[in-house]
Structures are given as structure tokens and as C-alpha cells.
Amino acid sequence: MTSTTSTPSGDFDWALVKSFVAVLDAGSLMGAARRLQAQQPTLSRHLAQLEAQLGVPLFERTGRGVVPTAAGLAIADAARQMQDGADTLGRTLQRSREATSGTVRITTSDVAATWLLPPVLAALRQAEPGIQVELVASNTLTNLLRREADIAVRMLRPTQGSLIARKLGEVGICAAAHASYLQRAGTPRRPEDLAEHTLIGYDSDTTIEQGFARLGLPLPRSRFALRTDNQIVYSQLVAAGAGIGFIAAYTLPNLGGVQPLLPMLKIPPLPCWLAVHREIRGNPVVRRVYDFLAQRLPPALTG
């Protein structure tokens, strides 16, 4: 084979180097074409292009095929290293494709499952179409411990030693009411004004009452005219204009017409934790979802 005059360059099309290694190993264009399942004229053109780039001939024709020239032998080791690198890259990409295929089961509270997780999981679906997600709305950690779920998003730090927990941020809690209620009953200006309003509380859960007691504003259970322990129902009561409630700030954009109140009322925020079983964390599919949630949930917590 003869060369054409060209300026040598270090930027090679990988297809040219691949064809060179195939011809080098096979000893002929025909044998290399069979190995690569390619057309012989294509390989001949690749070699001519590579020789033109290098400015030297790489093979000489013989009666039985081709033999490498001194220049061809000089670049043989580097070309084979590129081949090995390409093979390694191919295997890595294949493992990556396999690692992002599978099913991950996520458990979280009713409120987070309704308003916090959906947009994040929609983004995950676009980024990782090979991963299927099962979302379980539950307020306990038992399903994670029993391996009924792979990942948990909780507002309470898991204490079980078999779980790995990562704090994602804090969920702000605010007093809030719908504009229709405020128009009807007026807007409280001071925390003390809450005692004169219709309040929405919990039924068996005493969290709100205890919180106000710590703030020096004791409000007995009887002051909460509407009570429910169902967080979704609670939010809908606020959205319906039934009274003033205390809700996660990130839910406000989803509750049309609901306005935050009393910014001076410093309600302690709730920590948000991402938990996974220690053994499951080694699963590449679970790890991918875990890392995605760890990245996307913190900004979502602020609403």
C-alpha cells in the first residue's frame, strides 16, 4: 500500500485504528473483513486514510495478504492499547446499562408521597427510563426493615442499626389558611390571635398541642374545632377554608389560595431523612435511585 502526502495528526478516527488492528491480526484485508463483519473496500479505505494522516505506509501487499511495515509495527502496541481501552469502555457501558435497569420500591409518608415525591420521580423517570419505581405511602419504617421497601424518605431519623440514614434538609412548618377563611374571619396578626380563630388539629396525635406549649402558647385540644390524623385530609381542610392549620411549607404551591401566616411564629422544622437498608445499598439500581433522591429532594423541600 502506498501513502498520500498529508500532515500527520494525533487526532484519529477510532474506526481507522480498529480496522488497522483487525488487518494486523488477520494478516489480510479479507480475513479482517470477516472478523469485523465489514466490507473489504471499507477496510482498505480506512487504512489509506490512516496512512494519509500519519504520512507513512503501514502495510505492504504480498501474495498471501499484507505484512506490516516498520511504521506499522511501531504503532502496533499503541493501537492494541486503544483496542483494549475500547473493549474496556464497551464492557463498562454495558454494566452501566444493566445497572440502571430494575425495580426500586420507595416508601414515604402520605403527604410526601402526594406532594414531595411525584415531581422528583417524574424527573427520575426521564433520567433513568430503565428503572421502574413502586411508591408506597406509609407512616412506619417497618416495611423498610422487613425489606418490603428499598428506600425510605422520612421526617424522623431512623435509629435501627441495620439502616443507613442521610439527612436531606429540614421541612419548614407554617401556620396557613385559605384566602376565603381569612376574608371571612380576618387575618391573625400575632400568635396570640390564634386563640380567637377556628383551628385545625390532630385527633390522637398531640404534636401540635405540645409544640404550642413549648412556645408558651398553651392551646388545649378543645380549641381545635376540626381534628384528623390523616395528613392529606388535614391539608384539604385547610385548602377548603375550614380554618387555620399547620402544614409543611412545600405543600403550599399545591394548595391553591392557601396563604402562610404569622412569620414570627417560629415552629420548629422537621428533619427529612433518606434511609436505606445497609445491605441493599450495595445494589447498583438502588444506589442510583438513592443518589438521585439525595440530589433532587433537598431543593424540593423548600417548596
Side-chain angles (χ1 to χ4, degrees), residues 43 225 239:
L43 297 186

Side-chain angles (χ1 to χ4, degrees), residues 106 108 111-129 131 133 135 151 153 168 250 254 272 274 288-303:
I106 302 172
T108 191
V111 172
T114 303
W115 287 302
L116 180 63
L117 268 293
V120 175
L121 296 182
L124 173 64
R125 178 62 188 168
Q126 293 183 11
E128 299 291 349
I131 297 179
V133 173
L135 181 59
I151 297 173
V153 179
L168 299 179
Y250 70 76
N254 302 283
C272 181
L274 186 64
R288 172 62 181 132
V289 176
Y290 180 91
D291 290 341
F292 191 92
L293 295 178
Q295 178 187 18
R296 295 298 186 96
L297 282 177
L301 293 174
T302 64

Side-chain angles (χ1 to χ4, degrees), residues 28-52:
S28 70
L29 287 169
M30 183 179 297
R34 284 197 297 266
R35 289 187 181 186
L36 295 179
Q37 297 182 337
Q39 297 296 319
Q40 187 172 329
T42 300
L43 297 186
S44 182
R45 184 174 66 255
H46 285 176
L47 292 181
Q49 291 174 353
L50 186 57
E51 288 175 333

Side-chain angles (χ1 to χ4, degrees), residues 18-285:
K18 183 178 181 181
S19 296
F20 168 75
V21 174
V23 174
L24 187 67
D25 290 342
S28 70
L29 287 169
M30 183 179 297
R34 284 197 297 266
R35 289 187 181 186
L36 295 179
Q37 297 182 337
Q39 297 296 319
Q40 187 172 329
T42 300
L43 297 186
S44 182
R45 184 174 66 255
H46 285 176
L47 292 181
Q49 291 174 353
L50 186 57
E51 288 175 333
Q53 289 185 10
L54 294 173
V56 293
L58 299 175
F59 291 99
E60 293 180 356
R61 291 188 181 276
T62 68
R64 295 183 177 180
V66 295
V67 294
T69 63
L73 291 174
I75 69 169
D77 287 344
R80 293 188 193 284
Q81 289 177 10
M82 291 182 68
Q83 176 72 67
D84 292 340
D87 291 343
T88 299
L89 177 61
R91 290 191 296 269
T92 301
L93 290 175
Q94 179 61 31
R95 287 196 298 268
S96 177
R97 285 191 292 268
E98 293 172 352
T100 53
S101 297
T103 301
V104 177
R105 195 170 176 87
I106 302 172
T107 179
T108 191
S109 67
D110 292 340
V111 172
T114 303
W115 287 302
L116 180 63
L117 268 293
V120 175
L121 296 182
L124 173 64
R125 178 62 188 168
Q126 293 183 11
E128 299 291 349
I131 297 179
Q132 299 181 14
V133 173
E134 297 172 349
L135 181 59
V136 181
S138 171
N139 293 320
T140 67
L141 278 173
T142 54
N143 44 19
L144 189 62
L145 293 173
R146 296 177 195 156
R147 309 295 183 84
E148 294 174 3
D150 302 314
I151 297 173
V153 179
R154 296 296 177 199
M155 305 306 157
L156 182 67
R157 181 175 187 174
T159 57
Q160 295 82 354
S162 58
L163 300 181
I164 295 176
R166 175 175 178 174
K167 187 177 180 180
L168 299 179
E170 294 184 330
V171 178
I173 307 297
C174 63
H178 192 273
S180 62
Y181 171 82
L182 298 175
Q183 194 172 40
R184 184 174 69 250
T187 301
R189 302 301 177 186
R190 303 174 304 155
E192 292 80 5
D193 295 342
L194 290 174
E196 307 303 321
H197 281 266
T198 299
L199 302 181
I200 304 173
Y202 297 145
D203 186 13
S204 59
D205 189 334
T206 60
T207 301
I208 295 177
E209 297 161 49
Q210 292 176 357
F212 274 105
R214 285 193 294 270
L215 292 174
L217 298 170
L219 291 173
R221 187 172 186 270
S222 59
R223 290 295 308 134
F224 296 89
L226 293 166
R227 297 186 291 271
T228 179
D229 286 335
N230 186 296
Q231 297 288 326
I232 305 302
V233 173
Y234 188 99
S235 299
Q236 291 304 314
L237 286 171
V238 176
I244 296 176
F246 308 90
I247 59 178
Y250 70 76
T251 66
L252 288 174
N254 302 283
L255 302 174
V258 174
Q259 305 173 12
L261 304 171
L262 301 171
M264 75 291 294
L265 184 61
K266 304 303 181 182
I267 302 175
L270 295 176
C272 181
W273 295 87
L274 186 64
V276 65
H277 199 281
R278 189 177 301 277
E279 296 178 8
I280 295 178
R281 192 166 182 260
N283 182 304
V285 182

